[in-house]
Amino acid sequence: MSRYIILFGPPGAGKGTQTKIISEQLSLPGVSTGEIFRSQMEQRTPLGQQARSYLEDGELVPDDVTIGMVRETLAQEAYSAGVILDGFPRTLDQAEALGEIAESYDADLRVVFIKVPERELVERLSGRILCRKCGRVYHKKFNPPDDPQACEKGGTCELYQRDDDRVEIVTNRIRVYNEQTMPLLAYFRDRGDLSVVDGTQEIECVTADLLAVLEGVPG
Ligand code: AMP
């Protein structure tokens, strides 16, 4: 049976950071829908052009586009043992589609909510920097890169700030999260798939809690 692990939480909760870490520890590939959209935008593919205005405004890309993209991705051989999903699902329709996809691959679905209070999110997001090559996520104050930082893809990390991490857009992304994504918590809780970890801790402690929850080790 394959494993589908969903890291769920508001923008800035640390889903991307933790996906990168636990993906190595559990030997499961990570998939970030936001990262796929950004890379498609950079390559100016039709999908990238379709997604662009939504990302720029901090709105959600329509469900049919997003679900189609995830369905195609998860059909690849690379995900036959499972996946860690970062940023998907974000709507009820996406959650239902994922349930069906998981069932069709006989995958066990687990959801972990990384809980961070809203008041912390703006500071986390507006100070965030990423490497264009390896995708690792840092924070100017809370998690600065070593200098010079060796990139996982060789050479030095190419650090940049995401356009949608500007305060005006961040505010909208948090609003969109509260309105469209937050209701999924109750959905997953009702299905009995949900665990919660405290995302305000040090990165290593969040990882330890995630692994404890996922591997059934007492925390
Ligand atoms: P993220 O990197 O997860 O913060 O996502 C960045 C942006 O990509 C979001 O603000 C949305 O515009 C888009 N996006 C990522 N994942 C999804 C999704 N599951 N559904 C719709 N839009 C998404």
Side-chain angles (χ1 to χ4, degrees):
M1 188 181 240
S2 63
R3 302 178 79 183
Y4 282 12
I5 296 169
I6 302 171
L7 296 191
F8 183 83
K15 302 186 296 295
T17 302
Q18 295 297 335
T19 297
K20 292 263 176 316
I21 300 171
I22 67 166
S23 162
E24 272 182 27
Q25 308 232 3
L26 300 178
S27 302
L28 276 181
V31 164
S32 151
T33 40
E35 223 169 76
I36 300 178
F37 286 132
R38 281 188 293 279
S39 131
Q40 297 284 320
M41 278 163 61
E42 246 175 64
Q43 297 169 52
R44 301 191 173 276
T45 63
L47 176 62
Q49 304 292 35
Q50 239 178 326
R52 181 177 302 278
S53 65
Y54 299 100
L55 271 88
E56 284 174 352
D57 294 342
E59 297 287 333
L60 295 186
V61 176
D63 277 343
D64 54 339
V65 176
T66 308
I67 291 169
M69 177 182 90
V70 170
R71 200 186 294 280
E72 261 181 42
T73 303
L74 294 180
Q76 293 167 21
E77 179 59 31
Y79 304 103
S80 57
V83 67
I84 302 167
L85 286 164
D86 157 17
F88 185 92
R90 267 170 148 105
T91 65
L92 214 46
D93 280 356
Q94 291 181 12
E96 281 171 354
L98 182 65
E100 282 163 25
I101 299 170
E103 215 178 303
S104 73
Y105 293 116
D106 195 23
D108 176 49
L109 196 76
R110 288 292 302 275
V111 186
V112 190
F113 176 46
I114 306 181
K115 192 172 177 185
V116 173
E118 186 170 327
R119 61 177 182 278
E120 284 195 25
L121 300 175
V122 175
E123 191 182 12
R124 281 172 167 238
L125 290 165
S126 53
R128 181 158 82 169
I129 36 181
L130 295 86
C131 173
R132 205 180 289 285
K133 287 193 284 186
C134 71
R136 277 186 300 185
V137 187
Y138 299 99
H139 189 280
K140 286 179 192 162
K141 187 161 126 197
F142 305 132
N143 179 27
D146 302 338
D147 194 20
Q149 176 63 49
C151 181
E152 282 178 356
K153 296 271 170 79
T156 309
C157 276
E158 262 178 45
L159 297 171
Y160 77 106
Q161 186 161 28
R162 275 171 49 175
D163 280 345
D164 62 347
D165 279 346
R166 282 174 296 136
V167 174
E168 326 78 274
I169 308 297
V170 159
T171 313
N172 195 42
R173 286 165 61 206
I174 294 170
R175 183 190 62 76
V176 166
Y177 169 79
N178 284 332
E179 284 178 15
Q180 301 189 51
T181 306
M182 190 80 132
L184 289 187
L185 258 189
Y187 172 86
F188 288 128
R189 192 175 285 129
D190 289 349
R191 291 175 38 124
D193 299 329
L194 186 76
S195 310
V196 183
V197 304
D198 174 4
T200 63
Q201 310 172 83
E202 294 291 324
I203 291 174
E204 300 75 43
C205 300
V206 178
T207 305
D209 282 2
L210 278 172
L211 292 173
V213 157
L214 292 168
E215 301 297 71
V217 181

